[in-house]
Amino acid sequence: EGCGGEGGGGLGLATVSVSDLPSARSSWRPLRPPRAGSHIEDVDVYSGWLALYERRAAVPCLSLLRLSLPPPAVSTACSAAPPAVRSEEPVPLPTRGGPCRLLPLPRGFGAQELHFELSTLAKAQAVYSYSLEARSLSLLRAAAPPQRPAATPPPE
C-alpha cells in the first residue's frame, strides 16, 4: 500500500490565505485529507511541490504533492489564493532491509531536487537525491563502512 492508502484519521494538511490570518479553523481549506495510520513527521516546501515525510503503519515513506498554484496576485502577495493539490505520488525508496529512518535535508524553495538521509536495518545511513522533474532517485553519498578496531597483540 505504501504511502498512497486512503481512509480517515491521522493528520491532514490545510491552507489558508495569508490575508485571512489569524483565522478560525473553520476557514481553512483542506489540501490533503487525514489518512488512517499515517503520521506526518516533516514537510519540505518547494516552488510548486510539497515533500511529505511520514510514517504509515510505522514505516517511513516519502510522498510528493504537486501543487496547482494560483496566478500571481496583482496587488500584494498576501491576497494570493492558497494552492491546491494537482497530484500525489510516492517516492520509491530503497527497501532492502526495510526503511527505518528517513531524515529530510532541506533545500532552497526554488530547488528542483530534494535530498534526504535514509537508513535501513541492512544498510547504514546514506544520502539520496530525488529529482522533482525527472522523478529519479540517485545515491549521493553512501554510508562509510564500519571501522573495525585494530587487533591488539597478545600480552607477553
Side-chain angles (χ1 to χ4, degrees):
E1 180 174 0
C3 295
E6 298 298 326
L11 180 65
L13 294 175
T15 64
V16 67
S17 294
V18 174
S19 60
D20 293 338
L21 293 175
S23 66
R25 193 175 205 166
S26 60
S27 67
W28 297 358
R29 297 179 195 161
L31 186 65
R32 180 180 181 249
R35 300 202 172 156
S38 176
H39 174 75
I40 297 173
E41 295 184 328
D42 206 333
V43 177
D44 281 343
V45 179
Y46 297 90
S47 178
W49 300 86
L50 290 179
L52 298 183
Y53 298 83
E54 55 188 332
R55 286 192 181 265
R56 293 204 32 86
V59 176
C61 56
L62 176 56
S63 295
L64 293 177
L65 278 61
R66 185 185 291 255
L67 303 176
S68 292
L69 301 175
V74 175
S75 57
T76 68
C78 291
S79 63
V85 174
R86 191 167 64 185
S87 66
E88 181 173 349
E89 58 193 67
V91 172
L93 300 175
T95 57
R96 184 170 169 244
C100 59
R101 184 167 180 254
L102 184 61
L103 178 67
L105 299 172
R107 311 273 295 160
F109 179 72
Q112 290 301 305
E113 60 184 29
L114 56 108
H115 291 182
F116 57 90
E117 294 177 353
L118 176 71
S119 62
T120 70
L121 296 173
K123 293 176 104 177
Q125 190 170 317
V127 177
Y128 291 88
S129 172
Y130 185 79
S131 169
L132 297 171
E133 291 300 325
R135 297 183 177 120
S136 61
L137 184 68
S138 305
L139 177 64
L140 291 181
R141 185 175 64 241
Q147 300 290 329
R148 293 187 177 203
T152 57
E156 293 179 14

